[in-house]
Amino acid sequence: MAKARKANPDGYVHTRDAKEYQRLRDQARMWQGATAHVLAAVGLGPGMSCLDVGSGPGAVMRLMADRVGLEGRVTGIEIDGALGAEALQDLRREGGAGFEQITADLLKLEAPAGVPFDLTFCRLLLMHMRDPVAILEKMSAWTKPGVVVVAQEFDFGAISVEPTCPAMGEFNRLFEGVFRAHGRNLRAGRQLPAQFEAAGLGTPDGTDAAVHYLPLAQIANMLIGVYDSLYAAAAELGIADPLRASQFREDMAEAGADGRYYCLTPVLIAAWKRIG
């Protein structure tokens, strides 16, 4: 049995290391088109100020900068100081807008510097939060009247591999076991309208959904990366061991090289609301 470790103090169930940071960057590249589409749909434009809540490796902040330009301001909030510092260094090196990074626990943060913003945004954050409504309430309070709050979250209800792939069965077993045990929301995307209502935002003004259907060869390594990033949490729960993990990696790599398999990704669902 692998040596178990305690969950991250901030509750993040994945590991926090260089491999995980790279996985997050790879994931962001996969979904950058969907997020860019939403930023355009809500009217983010030159000179605006925007806040990325749970900014991770800074990929959304880069997309924001592309739209707000040199006169705009892009701020990120990230609890992982090491990841946030890497992101800020990269963003400032590339330039394109004024960038700031705040290292903080969202639930303990009263108001970030620069509040209020023309846009507050989160992507793949609420699914990790035990109280997503509280986060949306904060985002609403940090947004100027007349402008927009946006959330973009995964819904894992559709994820599958065709034809039936035993390696994907093992992936789902571990992934769902860890997420459910830690109270993570596997249906966060489809629940956004209800969460907006509960946060006092009202019915969303708009929604959007994006999904990929890819040869497994293009995504097998990413699935292995997710599995590996959850392994320690799974071992702590007693639902993972080295032999099973090794067999999964071998089976997933073999299925990816097979050529017959296609993967339907999670659906990335966005909802937005203009603050009255």
Side-chain angles (χ1 to χ4, degrees), residues 56-250:
V60 172
M61 293 175 69
R62 167 50 51 198
L63 294 175
M64 290 173 164
D66 291 343
R67 299 197 66 83
V68 302
L70 291 173
E71 300 302 315
R73 180 165 50 92
V74 179
T75 300
I77 301 175
E78 173 56 46
I79 197 169
D80 184 339
L83 180 58
E86 283 186 21
L88 183 61
Q89 183 179 30
D90 290 343
L91 289 163
R92 285 181 170 171
R93 183 175 61 248
E94 296 168 4
F99 294 104
E100 297 295 337
Q101 185 75 45
I102 299 167
T103 301
D105 181 338
L106 287 170
L107 294 176
K108 298 176 181 177
L109 184 64
E110 291 299 323
V115 70
F117 295 89
D118 294 313
L119 170 74
T120 56
F121 183 100
C122 67
R123 183 174 76 177
L124 307 184
L125 171 72
L126 301 181
M127 68 182 189
H128 294 289
M129 295 291 161
R130 292 188 179 274
D131 189 358
V133 171
I135 301 303
L136 288 170
E137 288 173 342
K138 284 180 175 284
M139 290 172 65
S140 176
W142 298 340
T143 307
K144 295 177 184 177
V147 284
V148 182
V149 172
V150 185
Q152 196 172 31
E153 294 290 328
F154 275 150
D155 188 292
F156 292 98
I159 187 171
S160 62
V161 169
E162 295 292 338
T164 300
C165 174
M168 196 62 189
E170 169 61 12
F171 174 89
N172 287 335
R173 184 195 67 82
L174 182 134
F175 179 85
E176 292 183 13
V178 171
F179 265 50
R180 292 188 192 283
H182 285 269
R184 299 303 183 263
N185 191 348
L186 295 165
R187 303 292 184 268
R190 73 181 68 177
Q191 292 174 11
L192 284 174
Q195 291 174 355
F196 273 46
E197 291 276 6
L201 289 164
T203 303
D205 294 327
T207 59
D208 185 74
V211 67
H212 297 288
Y213 190 50
L214 301 169
L216 186 58
Q218 294 182 24
I219 200 170
N221 285 339
M222 185 173 292
L223 293 171
I224 292 171
V226 172
Y227 187 102
D228 287 347
S229 75
L230 293 172
Y231 177 85
E236 185 179 335
L237 292 166
I239 61 172
D241 63 76
L243 183 61
R244 195 164 192 166
S246 178
Q247 188 64 56
F248 163 75
R249 295 185 196 101
E250 180 180 333

Side-chain angles (χ1 to χ4, degrees), residues 22-46:
Q22 187 57 51
R23 184 191 72 81
L24 292 173
R25 294 185 188 101
D26 293 342
Q27 176 179 263
R29 278 192 291 273
M30 174 176 287
W31 298 102
Q32 65 182 3
T35 297
H37 174 76
V38 169
L39 294 176
V42 301
L44 184 64

